[in-house]
Amino acid sequence: MKDNQRTHIVLIGFMGTGKSTVSELLAERLSCEAVDIDAVIIEREGMPISDIFATKGEAAFRTAESEALSDVLQREHMGVIATGGGAVLASQNREMMLKFGFVVNLHASAELIIERVSQDTSRPLLQGDVSQRVHKLLEDRKHAYDFAHCTIDTESMTPAQVADAIVLEWRLLF
């Protein structure tokens, strides 16, 4: 790597864009660890994310998310990190991602996201009318992912193709 401070590939993007799936494939290709920040939070808190939201609130979840992200980003060995869709909302998280990682925004249309997440009852931000909630959150976050080093549109690509595209971009820059 040209910048030895950047030791990770960090996947950002709205829920349902493929971050968790692609992180596993990408880590396999690069012979490194895949880390899902949501899984780290669940392990640390001892409860599902929906329960954290229900019992402690979104602010407590966001604090736990920032702490988990900070710990993972400061690991010495390279990893592929799948963040939660809202991890980018905190400026300190964006700064850490850029400092310690090559940040890749995975993008998909609202329609495809709705199709992918509509049956997932574990997503606390999608309670109620899923379509309406996705459209509102996408509007609220329309520029939240703009800081990424690159954006990959996952709409018409398989997860393997997305992983290959990320490796290509990463090798070009680092």
Side-chain angles (χ1 to χ4, degrees):
M1 292 180 117
K2 294 174 187 166
D3 182 346
N4 62 9
Q5 196 172 27
R6 289 195 177 124
T7 57
H8 305 288
I9 295 176
V10 182
L11 304 182
I12 65 169
F14 198 77
M15 65 182 86
T17 56
K19 299 178 301 290
S20 296
T21 302
V22 170
S23 70
E24 294 288 336
L25 293 169
L26 195 52
E28 188 177 299
R29 281 170 173 65
L30 298 172
S31 301
C32 65
E33 179 183 20
V35 181
D36 188 304
I37 295 299
D38 284 350
V40 173
I41 296 166
I42 291 166
E43 183 179 322
R44 287 180 172 193
E45 298 293 319
M47 66 178 82
I49 289 172
S50 57
D51 289 355
I52 297 169
F53 268 76
T55 61
K56 299 180 179 184
E58 184 175 357
F61 171 77
R62 295 294 173 204
T63 297
E65 182 176 56
S66 293
E67 291 169 358
L69 183 63
S70 176
D71 290 348
V72 170
L73 284 170
Q74 293 184 56
R75 292 179 183 171
E76 195 172 309
H77 300 293
M78 180 184 177
V80 178
I81 301 167
T83 64
V88 300
L89 300 176
S91 62
Q92 75 267 19
N93 290 352
R94 294 190 303 271
E95 291 166 13
M96 281 189 301
M97 289 181 216
L98 288 170
K99 180 176 181 181
F100 294 107
F102 173 61
V103 183
V104 180
N105 174 31
L106 300 187
H107 179 268
S109 69
E111 292 71 29
L112 183 57
I113 289 168
I114 292 164
E115 181 182 314
R116 289 177 178 171
V117 303
S118 63
Q119 301 305 313
D120 188 347
T121 58
S122 69
R123 296 180 186 269
L125 293 178
L126 293 184
Q127 300 310 308
D129 182 332
V130 173
S131 177
Q132 183 267 333
R133 294 290 299 145
V134 166
H135 284 285
K136 166 109 175 62
L137 287 168
L138 282 170
E139 179 61 27
D140 291 348
R141 297 178 183 178
K142 67 180 168 187
H143 296 295
Y145 307 103
D146 291 352
F147 72 98
H149 292 100
C150 73
T151 295
I152 307 280
D153 188 337
T154 65
E155 191 80 19
S156 60
M157 299 171 79
T158 66
Q161 290 170 324
V162 174
D164 290 341
I166 293 169
V167 169
L168 184 64
E169 291 286 337
W170 179 68
R171 289 196 170 136
L172 286 172
L173 292 172
F174 298 98

